[in-house]
């Protein structure tokens, strides 16, 4: 299905987890669940998927050695480079993509799955949908229908200005996937315009620069671990699937 295409993951894990408010200051990607780091669970999603060829990882500059030790500890053979992350998620993702380019990856024949290091529930079926979407459309944005009412507020955030039709609203997740040359060009356009670090995610950047984007069906269980309650949900999920295959059993 993806014949002739090289597939990489650009994983950005450069945050410090400020919304976790932990006294020990451990970045959230290094918090352990059942004795294993969240970043390791995330890497499992891609290391164990047969379609993924290589992983390029950008992490916080103070945690590069710890990340390299984690890669060695768990034997992640697909992780080719651990590089220093940037001042924003966008810059960290860009540095991971540049690391792939610097390693000699053919940018014109490569699909890049771009995801964050604290999203540890990405099933194989979703990865396959993303890859198929890029082959057919040139990009694939993981999404789920909005399951709560969405409001647009007044500029001060205190009043509801509008309530759009929920049937047209989707929540965008990750991976967000592009051909590698397209992803690099988007970032370089943002640098030229002085807009590096201003975009919420790659979908936001690509749409701002005029690209048509194609949605692929995600899952609600594909959570991004942002606050303490997210960690608790993930702990529960892992505990309920002692065989370790929790990702694919929730699809």
């Amino acid at each position: 299905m993806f014949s002739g295409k090289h597939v990489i993951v650009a994983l950005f894990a450069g945050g410090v987890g400020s919304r976790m408010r932990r006294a020990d200051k451990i970045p959230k990607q290094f918090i352990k669940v059942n004795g294993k780091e969240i970043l390791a669970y995330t890497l499992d999603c891609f290391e164990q998927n047969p379609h993924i060829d290589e992983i390029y990882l950008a992490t916080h500059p103070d945690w590069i050695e710890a990340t390299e030790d984690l890669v060695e500890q768990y034997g992640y053979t697909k992780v080719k480079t651990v590089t220093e992350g940037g001042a924003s998620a966008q810059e960290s993702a860009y540095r991971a993509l540049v690391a792939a380019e610097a390693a000699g990856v053919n940018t014109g024949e490569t699909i890049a799955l771009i995801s964050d290091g604290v999203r540890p529930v990405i099933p194989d079926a979703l990865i396959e949908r993303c890859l198929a979407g890029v082959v057919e459309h040139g990009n694939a944005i993981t999404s789920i229908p909005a399951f709560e009412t969405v409001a647009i507020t007044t500029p001060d955030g205190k009043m509801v200005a509008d309530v759009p039709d929920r049937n047209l609203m989707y929540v965008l997740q990750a991976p967000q996937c592009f051909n590698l040359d397209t992803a690099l060009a988007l970032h370089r356009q943002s640098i030229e315009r002085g807009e590096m670090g201003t975009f919420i995610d790659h979908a936001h950047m690509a749409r701002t620069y005029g690209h048509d984007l194609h949605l692929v069906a995600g899952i609600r269980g594909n959570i991004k671990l942002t606050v303490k309650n997210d960690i608790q949900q993930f702990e529960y999920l892992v505990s309920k699937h002692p065989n370790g295959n929790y990702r694919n059993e929730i699809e």
Side-chain angles (χ1 to χ4, degrees):
M1 179 166 47
F2 318 116
S3 176
K5 286 287 189 178
H6 193 68
V7 180
I8 70 161
V9 173
L11 200 64
F12 53 98
V16 295
S18 58
R19 280 172 286 186
M20 289 288 183
R21 304 188 183 201
R22 290 171 60 92
D24 55 19
K25 304 299 184 183
I26 295 175
K28 58 188 174 181
Q29 58 269 30
F30 288 98
I31 295 172
K32 290 186 177 182
V33 173
N34 285 9
K36 183 173 180 176
E37 296 83 352
I38 290 169
L39 179 58
Y41 286 105
T42 302
L43 285 167
D44 285 345
C45 300
F46 304 111
E47 178 75 23
Q48 297 170 9
N49 184 280
H51 301 297
I52 304 300
D53 295 304
E54 297 172 356
I55 301 168
Y56 294 86
L57 175 58
T59 191
H60 190 281
D62 294 340
W63 288 79
I64 289 179
E65 185 176 351
T67 304
E68 291 173 337
D69 289 344
L70 180 147
V71 168
E72 182 177 358
Q73 175 187 350
Y74 293 104
Y76 294 125
T77 60
K78 294 183 181 180
V79 177
K80 302 305 178 184
T81 302
V82 176
T83 192
E84 182 176 316
S88 65
Q90 183 193 349
E91 187 175 359
S92 292
Y94 175 57
R95 291 187 180 190
L97 293 166
V98 168
E101 182 182 41
V105 171
N106 184 338
T107 60
E109 295 295 332
T110 298
I111 295 174
L113 279 71
I114 304 164
S115 196
D116 35 322
V118 289
R119 198 179 285 273
V121 193
I122 299 177
D124 291 332
L126 174 54
I127 291 173
E128 291 183 6
R129 288 198 293 271
C130 286
L131 295 176
V134 176
V135 169
E136 182 175 0
H137 301 292
N139 59 63
I141 309 299
T142 304
S143 65
I144 57 172
F147 50 88
E148 302 274 12
T149 300
V150 177
I152 298 172
T153 71
T154 54
D156 61 9
K158 295 181 178 180
M159 299 286 291
V160 173
D162 193 16
V163 179
D165 182 354
R166 190 171 71 183
N167 293 322
L168 301 177
M169 300 293 107
Y170 279 75
V171 176
L172 303 187
Q173 301 178 317
Q176 297 188 352
C177 312
F178 299 82
N179 290 307
L180 178 55
D181 54 359
T182 300
L184 286 166
L186 285 168
H187 282 282
R188 287 168 179 158
Q189 188 173 359
S190 79
I191 293 171
E192 290 172 2
R193 295 188 177 197
E195 295 173 339
M196 170 59 76
T198 65
F199 292 104
I200 297 169
D201 58 14
H202 287 74
H204 182 203
M205 176 167 56
R207 192 72 194 112
T208 299
Y209 295 153
H211 289 248
D212 292 330
L213 300 178
H214 298 270
L215 302 180
V216 296
I219 56 170
R220 283 186 63 177
N222 175 16
I223 54 175
K224 179 182 177 183
L225 306 186
T226 303
V227 297
K228 288 182 179 180
N229 186 56
D230 299 330
I231 300 285
Q232 292 167 351
Q233 290 185 47
F234 183 58
E235 288 175 336
Y236 178 79
L237 178 63
V238 171
S239 70
K240 289 297 181 181
H241 296 272
N243 63 1
N245 198 30
Y246 56 89
R247 298 190 309 274
N248 296 313
E249 291 183 9
I250 65 169
E251 177 65 17

